[in-house]
Every structure is written in C-alpha cells, then in structure tokens.
C-alpha cells in the first residue's frame, strides 16, 4: 500500500509539473539576436534579459554571428517570435537572411539593427516591425522590445506546450482542433500530425481566447479552429479535411451565436 501511495504521489506531482509548465510557456517568447559584433550581441541580449526579468516575461534567447548561421537555424525548423538582425555582416547580410527567413516564416517579427539609414526602403518590402539605430540606446531598445512583445501576445501566433521536459511550438493557424480525453489533450493539425500532452481543455480555451484566431468549444471534448470549419449543421461541424465533430446539445445555442457573430450576421441553423 505504501509503495502504491508513493507512486500515486509521484504521478500527481509529475502531472501537476507538466500542467504548470504548459501554462507558464504559453507566452514564452523565443528571440534570435544576429550581429557580427560581439559587443552588440551581448548588449542586446543583456538588455532584453534584464527587461524580461523585471517584467516577469519568460524568454529564450539564441545568438548568431552571421546571417548564414541564422538562416540555417530557421530553415531547419526553429521558430522565433522576434529576430533582432544586423543589416551589414561579414557572414551573410541581414537583408538576404530576412528574405530567406520570410520564405519559411511569415509570422516572425523582424527588428533591424544598423548604423545606416540607407536601407529603410528595403526594410518596408520585407515587412519589418522595427528599426534600431546603432549605437544602441537602452531606452529605445526596451521600448521597441516591449511593443514587439505585446504584438506577439496579441497575435497569439503559436501554441506552445511542454511534455516530458521538451517544449513544442505549433502555429495556431495550423491547428484543426484540440481533443480532450481524461487528463490528456491531443492537438490535431492540418498536415495530419497530432501531439498529446497533459492538460485541461478549459484552461487551453481560456488561453486561446487571448489570440487573434478564434477557437470555439463545440463539445466538452473539442475546441475547434473557427477558420478551418468547412460547414455545420445543428448537431455537427465538418472541418476542411472532412473530419466531422459533434456539437453537444448544451453548447448548440452558444456555439451558434459565436459562429454567427464571427460570420458577420445572425444566421440560424
């Protein structure tokens, strides 16, 4: 009995730890700093780290010393929320790096760092969020970073979770739906992948409500991406991949109100 009780306590702690980790990293910000000047890289990393510590913002910062290094990392699948990028570098310039990054990631927010103004027109073409002039002014960098962080949070571009001490990051627009089964939640994506972790669907629903992509609760077990609903009846929805999910009787009225509001009118089924 003692052994079983101890195992139960350990399992409870593990589940609690995993669940807390999920909630803590939902707004984890992942940043890349790319500059061939060691002093600039260290300065940006230090200022951002101090701001995040002061504002209680969970952050992960990777540093690169050439555009080619950064490009390799991003094209290999690493997703960043914000990239601070020097324009002129010996190991591949920042504009070419940004062009390659944009081919694989439309959502990352780019902030250029440079001592030159002559590239400003080029930056508009690459949908750059901000520009910081060298030498770095701490107040300007802090203000720009906090504005960028607010944009990341408001867009809720990624859903991030932890499972078995690994962090996962998935584009919200790629998520078809969340399915809850007991203490497990499974994410199903458009490309056919699925990920399972420990959590509560009600907590995920609350977190997703902060983002720009609406997720609707059609059933106790399902939270669905509104944009990926192809059709609906009174009792079920059909997703863009043909998957059908039931609308529970107690949620039909509220779901219909939410769906009609998002559609732009009062439409009854």
């Amino acid at each position: 009995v003692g052994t079983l009780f101890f195992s139960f306590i350990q399992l409870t702690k593990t589940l609690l730890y995993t669940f807390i980790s999920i909630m803590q990293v939902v707004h984890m910000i992942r940043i890349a700093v790319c500059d061939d000047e060691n002093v600039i890289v260290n300065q940006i990393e230090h200022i951002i780290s101090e701001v995040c510590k002061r504002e209680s913002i969970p952050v992960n910062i990777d540093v690169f010393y050439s555009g080619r290094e950064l490009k390799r990392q991003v094209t290999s699948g690493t997703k960043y929320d914000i990239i601070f990028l020097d324009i002129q570098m010996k190991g591949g310039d920042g504009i070419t790096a940004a062009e390659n990054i944009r081919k694989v990631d439309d959502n990352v927010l780019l902030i250029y760092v440079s001592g030159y103004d002559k590239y400003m027109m080029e930056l508009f073409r690459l949908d750059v969020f901000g520009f910081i002039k060298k030498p770095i002014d701490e107040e300007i960098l802090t203000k720009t970073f906090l504005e960028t962080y607010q944009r990341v949070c408001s867009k809720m571009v990624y859903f991030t979770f932890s499972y078995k001490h690994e962090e996962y990051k998935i584009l919200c627009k790629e998520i078809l739906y969340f399915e809850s089964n007991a203490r497990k939640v499974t994410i199903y994506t458009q490309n056919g992948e699925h990920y399972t972790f420990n959590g509560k669907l009600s907590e995920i629903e609350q977190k997703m409500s902060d983002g720009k992509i609406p997720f609707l609760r059609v059933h106790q077990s399902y939270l669905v991406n509104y944009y990926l609903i192809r059709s609906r009846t009174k009792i079920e929805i059909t997703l863009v991949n043909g998957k059908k999910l039931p609308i529970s009787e107690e949620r039909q009225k509220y779901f219909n109100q939410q769906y009609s509001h998002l559609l732009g009118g009062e439409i009854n089924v």
Side-chain angles (χ1 to χ4, degrees):
V1 176
T3 303
L4 286 173
F5 180 76
F6 178 78
S7 298
F8 174 77
I9 292 297
Q10 289 298 106
L11 176 61
T12 303
K13 284 182 178 179
T14 302
L15 291 173
L16 182 60
Y17 169 81
T18 307
F19 178 65
I20 289 172
S21 296
I22 292 167
M23 301 318 298
Q24 285 179 338
V25 300
V26 166
H27 291 300
M28 164 71 78
I29 195 110
R30 188 159 193 186
I31 297 171
V33 180
C34 184
D35 198 299
D36 61 355
E37 295 182 65
N38 221 11
V39 174
I40 297 295
V41 169
N42 292 339
Q43 186 181 12
I44 293 173
E45 184 180 18
H46 174 73
I47 292 171
I48 292 174
S49 297
E50 288 301 308
V51 172
C52 289
K53 191 183 299 182
R54 187 171 67 244
E55 302 292 332
S56 300
I57 298 171
V59 66
N60 182 287
I61 302 174
D62 293 337
V63 299
F64 303 90
Y65 298 97
S66 76
R68 284 194 288 270
E69 286 180 26
L70 174 62
K71 175 199 163 188
R72 277 196 296 269
Q73 189 70 17
V74 173
T75 54
S76 71
T78 302
K79 298 287 186 182
Y80 292 103
D81 298 295
I82 304 169
I83 296 177
F84 289 87
L85 185 59
D86 186 19
I87 293 177
Q88 283 194 319
M89 291 180 285
K90 295 174 184 176
D93 70 272
I95 290 175
T96 302
E99 288 172 341
N100 288 311
I101 289 167
R102 279 284 177 247
K103 290 176 184 176
V104 296
D105 193 339
D106 290 331
N107 296 297
V108 62
L109 299 179
L110 298 174
I111 298 175
Y112 268 116
V113 182
S114 178
Y116 304 92
D117 295 330
K118 63 182 181 180
Y119 299 100
M120 290 302 288
M121 293 306 296
E122 192 75 12
L123 305 190
F124 286 114
R125 182 176 66 82
L126 293 167
D127 188 25
V128 173
F129 184 80
F131 180 86
I132 295 174
K133 194 169 182 178
K134 295 179 182 178
I136 304 292
D137 181 286
E138 183 173 348
E139 187 176 336
I140 291 174
L141 175 58
T142 299
K143 182 175 182 291
T144 302
F145 167 66
L146 289 175
E147 288 173 352
T148 313
Y149 174 68
Q150 288 301 318
R151 173 66 68 88
V152 171
C153 290
S154 67
K155 287 172 70 175
M156 190 63 176
V157 174
Y158 300 104
F159 178 78
T160 312
F161 63 94
S162 292
Y163 185 63
K164 292 185 177 178
H165 307 293
E166 283 193 63
E167 291 181 9
Y168 297 83
K169 192 173 186 180
I170 303 172
L171 277 170
C172 289
K173 68 180 182 181
E174 296 293 331
I175 298 174
L176 280 166
Y177 65 99
F178 296 85
E179 180 180 18
S180 174
N181 184 7
R183 295 183 178 182
K184 298 283 187 182
V185 174
T186 301
I187 299 173
Y188 294 90
T189 66
Q190 286 197 79
N191 61 10
E193 295 179 342
H194 64 274
Y195 307 84
T196 300
F197 56 93
N198 302 311
K200 290 184 179 179
L201 199 58
S202 58
E203 299 285 353
I204 296 169
E205 181 182 12
Q206 179 61 41
K207 290 293 180 183
M208 299 306 282
S209 69
D210 295 333
K212 293 296 184 183
I213 296 177
F215 278 78
L216 308 181
R217 190 78 174 266
V218 298
H219 189 279
Q220 182 177 348
S221 300
Y222 302 112
L223 182 66
V224 182
N225 185 339
Y226 163 77
Y227 292 132
L228 300 182
I229 297 174
R230 187 172 68 194
S231 63
R232 63 168 178 152
T233 67
K234 186 176 182 179
I235 61 171
E236 70 178 11
I237 59 168
T238 303
L239 302 177
V240 292
N241 67 343
K243 175 72 174 180
K244 295 181 184 293
L245 296 175
I247 306 171
S248 62
E249 187 174 353
E250 66 271 17
R251 295 182 186 271
Q252 287 173 7
K253 183 178 179 180
Y254 185 58
F255 169 75
N256 186 53
Q257 290 172 346
Q258 285 183 301
Y259 191 93
S260 298
H261 175 72
L262 290 166
L263 205 57
E266 293 300 324
I267 302 172
N268 294 316
V269 175

